[in-house]
Amino acid sequence: MSAAHQSNQAGSNPGRPHPDKWIKVLPEGLYVEPGGFFIDPVRPVERAVVTHGHSDHARPGNRHVLATPGTLAIMRQRMGEGVGGSLQALEYGEGLTIGDVRVRLVPAGHVLGSAQVVMEHAGSRVVVSGDYKRRLDRTCAAFEPVPCDVFVTEATFGLPVFRHPPDLGEVGKLLHSMALFPERSHVVGVYALGKCQRLITLLRAAGYDRPIWLHGALEPLCRLYSSLGVELGELRPATVAAKEDLKGALVLAPPAAVADRWARRLADPVVAVASGWMRVRQRARQRGVELPLVISDHADWDELCQTLEDVGAPEVWVTHGREEALVHYATSRGIRARALALIGFEDEDSEGIPEKAGKGEAP
Amino acid sequence: MNRFAALIDALVFMPSRNGKIRLLVEHFATAPDPERGWALAALTGALSFREAKPAAIRELAATRVDPELLALSYDYVGDLAETVALIWPERPERANSLPPSLDEVVEGLRAAKRGQVIGLVEGWLDTLDSSGRFALLKLITGALRIGVSARLAKTALAEWGRIARPEVSVDDVEEVWHGLTAPYAELFAWLEGRAERPEAGAGAGFRPMMLSHPLEEEDRAALDPAAYAAEWKWDGIRVQMVARGGERRLYSRTGDDVSGAFPDIVDHMSFDAVLDGELLVARDGVVAPFNDLQQRLNRKTVTAQMLRDGPAWVRLYDILFDGEEDLRGLSFVERRARLERWYEAVQPRRMDLSPMVPFTAWDELVALREGARENGIEGLMLKRRDSAYLAGRPKGPWFKWKRGALTLDTVMMYAQRGHGKRSSYYSDYTFGVWRGEELVPVGKAYSGFTDAELVELDRWVRNHTTRRYGPVREVEAGLVLEVAFDSVHPSTRHKSGLAMRFPRIHRIRWDKPAHEADRLETLAAMVVG
């Protein structure tokens, strides 16, 4: 057990206010009162600390933004001028005092630049995980568990049915299908930030060295990743390619595009989607996915449970996802747990995947 | 089990029919006996294991997983076999024990005594990976639901069989099928050219049905009315009744055994013959609307109330076997005479003869066909007097001549994405008619337009969407669709109280303002009976 775990019965010591006295859920998001800042606010605020660049966490229009250099680069790329007022970069591991709070950013392993926010105030340490995963990702720094008194965790895949298989096995499925259907295009639905670049590095690691074709929406962030030193190999624009060139090619596109008009340009495509949701067969099937690839940038159930062990916090708050099961699990392990019910966070893995027609009547 | 699990996984995700056939062909070609036979039995619903019920599987899982987490997961996933397959805790020592083969599983379950089944299943779940667990649980709970019908499996079997026996058709497979039992070693041996065709004469097997072509105007001009007999085409479900050697079976047109859903027919099959007829719901000899029959379709069993409310009836068209005697080589006229004689002698309950419609010239039939709007009549059948009963759909001997369609001007209300090649198009349309100032939906159609028209319809939908509900878009009341349909019946399932038979898009009325579309009263007046 960590020192933090042993020492703290959070709130029992009158000299040490319980963290729920200084961290609050407001309509704008999670508010750290003694520092006067919000973490990943859903509407513009004076002072924001942003965990990573996904659009439900990093929103435009804040007066002051603190984030890692990687996250700030992504925000500038995605939002341009609308990114907000002043941007302040904080490297992983460097400390900074904001108001009455000592703040440190620690790698979360989710996407490039993603960070956990480690906060110390009045003798307690609270860690806000942001989104995270525990497995190897060549596009970003690996998650570091930080012992703490309160661990604020995501729970996107917070059900024990979600166990992501090894990544290379999933990439192997894709390569096998490409060998089996050499005349067809393979189009893989990927989120533009993180999943796209990670899948490319996984493919390269598996020895796939042919050009990979990109939907236009994926190009800017791939360029940014490359400029930040992530090796992606040869990439080509799919949107202007001739249909003939895309025969047998591997094409990456946002999930919403793989089964929509954009994909009509492809030659008899095999439709794949790379997402943790693909673990549930019927869900993948309803969405018309022929080749589901269970590749996720979020912790699966085992990783969530392992992380609760690793940080050793006697108290856990769950921000978003399937929080009920994780709260139940934590409670059964003697950890105080509750759901924060933050709103405004999406399961970005599933964003925009069109639902396929069911048998039901129109509403 | 691994190969079977891989097959199931691949079939689950394969969207196209041809792709599914290709996967099945590959399986038949590469899996050994008896494994491929057990797989075939599983796919065609020929395997059942009494003791492995879903409730027992759920109880078993709750001994290994926190029941609360199991319940939350089941809520999310919605399918018990899949939930348990995904949630089952893997043991680190699994790598040291071999997963069972499909043969072991099937033979193990068959030999298991009462109370042993769950223990067996638990042991297997511990050695299988998640795909294997999914396949095992689907297999033993008896509901694969992976989009493969028995007919599709047999089609694939015939396709694979043609590698060694080019003459084999799916009807040949269908014909020998029912004389055989899993794991079908003789069937595979025959299709591989290693053995003779299995004997099909005995047993209560399905015989491939003879089907008809629609009659086009230009066909009719070339036909000699004297060469054809006419009878009504009844609006029910084509069935084959087989009563041989004490066994009784009722088959659908595609060879699916529907006996379980129609005990009120099977109970009266106390004869030895194979007959072809139309399954209907009839009260005191009066045919009920197709909708009444629909309530009884696609069920494994039937309740007493359904038997009372929707009594089944068979209207007989043809006789294929009388006792051991195969009549299929006789002409239609000869078979008809045999059928009448047989009916006189046996006088089966809940069955009658479909009457012949005498005529001498086509014009007489034209008038009869248009006049026949009562329940249960879909049109006319024309059968060459000298035609033998042939498997499949030969062109020439039998024609179906449906009565002219009804049409109605409706307004598009919702559009839904299609499947397969159409998945990027809004191709399924719900349409409605006016009731006062509001539109009420009266049907749904996804055919009757050309590919070029589909592109235009898709564009129109995207440009006139008012709301989105997942895959469905609600559109402005701005496009009139002229819909053709065979008939319309009262229905409690639809808000409008009416249901159309076979609605399809007849014309897209780009020119017509929506407020000039038809009203619900107009449709209601088309109900007959």
Side-chain angles (χ1 to χ4, degrees), chain B residues 333-367:
Chain B
V333 174
E334 291 166 311
R335 291 200 311 280
R336 176 74 195 188
R338 290 291 298 261
L339 177 65
E340 288 174 9
R341 251 166 49 212
W342 177 89
Y343 185 78
E344 262 322 293
V346 176
Q347 307 228 334
R349 292 184 55 206
R350 296 274 186 135
M351 296 164 212
D352 62 6
L353 292 176
S354 175
M356 301 308 296
V357 179
F359 74 104
T360 49
W362 293 126
D363 291 349
E364 291 168 47
L365 283 185
V366 171

Side-chain angles (χ1 to χ4, degrees), chain A residues 105-283:
Chain A
L105 299 179
V106 170
H110 178 55
V111 297
L112 192 151
S114 67
Q116 308 173 72
V117 184
V118 180
M119 297 173 288
E120 282 157 11
H121 170 72
S124 299
R125 183 191 291 158
V126 177
V127 174
V128 175
S129 73
D131 291 338
Y132 65 97
K133 69 172 173 289
R134 304 297 302 271
R135 57 190 67 202
L136 174 72
D137 182 345
R138 288 172 186 78
T139 70
C140 64
F143 180 94
E144 289 174 20
V146 179
C148 54
D149 301 299
V150 174
F151 184 57
V152 184
T153 182
E154 63 135 324
T156 302
F157 290 113
L159 279 175
V161 289
F162 291 112
R163 292 199 164 87
H164 309 326
D167 297 326
L168 281 178
E170 297 301 290
V171 167
K173 272 167 43 181
L174 175 58
L175 295 175
H176 176 72
S177 175
M178 293 180 67
L180 206 60
F181 303 106
E183 75 290 357
R184 301 175 69 184
S185 316
H186 281 65
V187 57
V188 187
V190 290
Y191 195 65
L193 168 57
K195 186 68 60 65
C196 170
Q197 298 79 20
R198 172 146 168 259
L199 179 62
I200 294 172
T201 60
L202 284 168
L203 283 160
R204 299 308 187 202
Y208 186 78
D209 53 10
R210 287 161 55 194
I212 293 173
W213 301 77
L214 299 180
H215 183 284
L218 306 181
E219 288 172 24
L221 283 163
C222 285
R223 273 200 299 275
L224 178 70
Y225 266 59
S226 298
S227 73
L228 294 174
V230 179
E231 291 284 336
L232 298 177
E234 186 181 352
L235 306 177
R236 292 185 187 170
T239 305
V240 295
K243 198 164 188 161
E244 196 56 30
D245 290 341
L246 297 179
K247 270 194 178 171
L250 180 60
V251 182
L252 306 187
V258 297
D260 206 342
R261 281 185 288 186
W262 185 84
R264 290 179 199 163
R265 75 194 64 225
L266 305 176
D268 186 20
V270 174
V271 174
V273 167
S275 159
W277 301 112
M278 294 296 113
R279 172 84 165 154
V280 178
R281 285 176 184 75
Q282 298 299 349
R283 193 165 167 159

Side-chain angles (χ1 to χ4, degrees), chain B residues 196-319:
Chain B
E196 288 302 301
R197 177 179 169 130
E199 199 51 58
F206 175 72
R207 274 77 184 174
M209 281 195 178
M210 180 159 177
L211 305 171
S212 61
H213 278 267
L215 182 71
E216 309 293 344
E217 282 305 305
E218 56 271 26
D219 293 332
R220 185 162 59 87
L223 298 183
D224 172 10
Y228 284 83
E231 64 182 317
W232 295 116
K233 176 169 171 37
W234 298 97
D235 188 12
I237 297 288
R238 205 46 204 290
V239 286
Q240 184 174 92
M241 289 188 288
V242 183
R244 304 294 300 274
E247 277 192 78
R248 300 174 186 185
R249 294 270 188 283
L250 190 63
Y251 295 107
S252 74
R253 204 170 60 117
T254 49
D256 293 321
D257 186 344
V258 297
S259 313
F262 295 96
D264 41 349
I265 296 298
V266 176
D267 283 352
H268 297 296
M269 287 167 54
S270 48
F271 44 74
D272 197 318
V274 178
L275 300 151
D276 183 334
E278 194 85 13
L279 181 66
L280 305 160
V281 163
R283 301 186 186 89
D284 306 321
V286 179
V287 178
F290 184 80
N291 196 42
D292 292 24
L293 177 59
Q294 196 124 43
Q295 312 301 321
R296 294 200 47 186
L297 298 176
N298 300 320
R299 294 174 188 278
K300 288 249 185 281
T301 56
V302 63
T303 64
Q305 174 160 8
M306 288 159 66
L307 290 172
R308 206 164 46 241
D309 293 351
W313 190 269
V314 176
R315 194 146 281 176
L316 300 168
Y317 291 135
D318 216 324
I319 184 164

Side-chain angles (χ1 to χ4, degrees), chain B residues 161-176:
Chain B
R162 278 195 287 276
I163 299 168
R165 293 192 179 275
E167 76 285 2
V168 168
S169 74
V170 62
D171 291 319
D172 293 319
V173 172
E174 206 59 91
E175 177 135 11
V176 300

Side-chain angles (χ1 to χ4, degrees), chain A residues 156-163 173 176 180-181 183-184 256-264 268-269 271 277-292 301 305 322-329 332 347 352 354-363, chain B residues 9-15 20 22 26 65-66 68-70 72-74 76-77 79 82-90 130-134 138 144-147 414 416-421 423-426 428 430 444 455 458-459 462 469-474 494:
Chain A
T156 302
F157 290 113
L159 279 175
V161 289
F162 291 112
R163 292 199 164 87
K173 272 167 43 181
H176 176 72
L180 206 60
F181 303 106
E183 75 290 357
R184 301 175 69 184
V258 297
D260 206 342
R261 281 185 288 186
W262 185 84
R264 290 179 199 163
D268 186 20
V271 174
W277 301 112
M278 294 296 113
R279 172 84 165 154
V280 178
R281 285 176 184 75
Q282 298 299 349
R283 193 165 167 159
R285 188 180 164 204
Q286 278 159 11
R287 290 178 171 196
V289 176
E290 184 172 342
L291 182 64
W301 174 257
C305 296
R322 267 121 292 275
E323 50 268 35
E324 204 179 340
L326 193 61
V327 166
H328 173 85
Y329 168 83
S332 75
D347 302 329
E355 297 270 359
K356 281 282 298 250
K359 285 215 168 62
E361 288 282 325
Chain B
D9 257 0
L11 288 171
V12 163
F13 295 118
M14 174 55 74
K20 285 178 181 166
R22 195 158 64 179
E26 190 191 315
V65 185
D66 180 327
E68 178 76 18
L69 294 177
L70 177 64
L72 287 167
S73 297
Y74 183 32
Y76 179 82
V77 175
D79 176 290
E82 168 133 45
T83 307
V84 174
L86 292 175
I87 208 172
W88 192 261
E90 294 192 358
S130 109
S131 287
R133 292 191 295 264
F134 179 71
K138 282 287 177 190
L144 288 172
R145 292 204 186 136
I146 54 171
Y414 304 98
Q416 189 169 356
R417 281 172 181 275
H419 291 271
K421 283 205 184 312
S423 61
S424 72
Y425 294 92
Y426 287 89
D428 299 9
T430 300
K444 196 170 177 183
V455 172
D458 178 68
R459 188 179 309 130
R462 289 172 192 271
Y469 309 87
V472 176
R473 289 179 179 225
E474 184 179 279
H494 296 79

